[in-house]
Amino acid sequence: MTKLSVNINKIATIRNARGGNTPNLVEAAIKIQDFGGQGITIHPRPDERHIRYQDVYDLKPIVTTEFNIEGKPIDSFMELVLDSKPEQVTLVPDAEDAITSNAGWDTIKHFDYLTDVIKTFKDAGIRTSIFLDPNPALIESAAKTGADRIELYTEEFATQYGLGNLEAINPYKETAKLAIENGLAVNAGHDLSLDNIEYFIREIPTIAEVSIGHALISEALYLGLENTIQAYLRKIELANL
């Protein structure tokens, strides 16, 4: 069964808009887990515009499910991850001026770099995942880096699905199939929502974990956080029937 990890960056964004500690990120993470969330994902960036580095240390003791830290493996990020030792680190090639993640790694071009970074994290006992576009040509090199998983970047699927183009799932299916054949587990994330999550997982039932933030927190404004998490879990369960 696919696991649901909730990205809480948007909660931190709301907190930072007014200063102080409302909404409380730690309390939100505890509630998310109480409501059925099977993981907590955060993506600290160097400018700390949402998740702050201190948040990692505040969250670590209360995450009882799975702690997934995403980010570009610059020195400060690597030190943070090695110090906090989450269950999973997801490597994302963030551009400095990007509002949000907008591309996956070229695992051929950056093979040596990724291999060194992944070895460092795996030597510390941390599961590694590479954020990847749905491109089968990148899978062989991704597997050779020593990574445990890939995370499929799903923005294009979500956009095309919203336009009624169901064939947009095909490159994701092909990439996921090849990843499994090469010994990589497959995660997915970015713009997945209550509208498209069931179809995505039904078509790719091997997805180990989805990481959902922006859509889930936005939907929670209308439905409430507990109801929204439960709705996602029901969609995932239906997709696996």
Side-chain angles (χ1 to χ4, degrees), residues 44-120:
R45 287 181 167 84
D47 62 7
E48 299 185 294
R49 62 179 180 266
H50 34 62
I51 295 294
R52 301 167 182 154
Y53 276 31
Q54 181 58 45
D55 291 329
V56 176
Y57 299 103
D58 294 341
L59 289 164
K60 174 64 176 177
I62 61 89
V63 176
T64 57
T65 52
E66 177 193 276
F67 201 16
N68 173 42
I69 302 180
E70 301 179 339
K72 186 175 182 178
I74 60 175
D75 289 346
S76 58
F77 178 85
M78 292 188 67
E79 290 171 8
L80 181 71
V81 172
L82 291 170
D83 195 29
S84 58
K85 287 187 169 58
E87 283 74 25
Q88 178 173 270
V89 58
T90 301
L91 308 179
V92 183
D94 289 326
E96 291 185 9
D97 58 349
I99 296 174
T100 186
S101 305
N102 57 14
W105 289 96
D106 182 334
T107 55
I108 299 171
K109 179 179 179 180
H110 299 289
F111 177 79
D112 291 339
Y113 174 64
L114 289 169
T115 300
D116 289 344
V117 168
I118 288 166
K119 183 180 186 304
T120 298

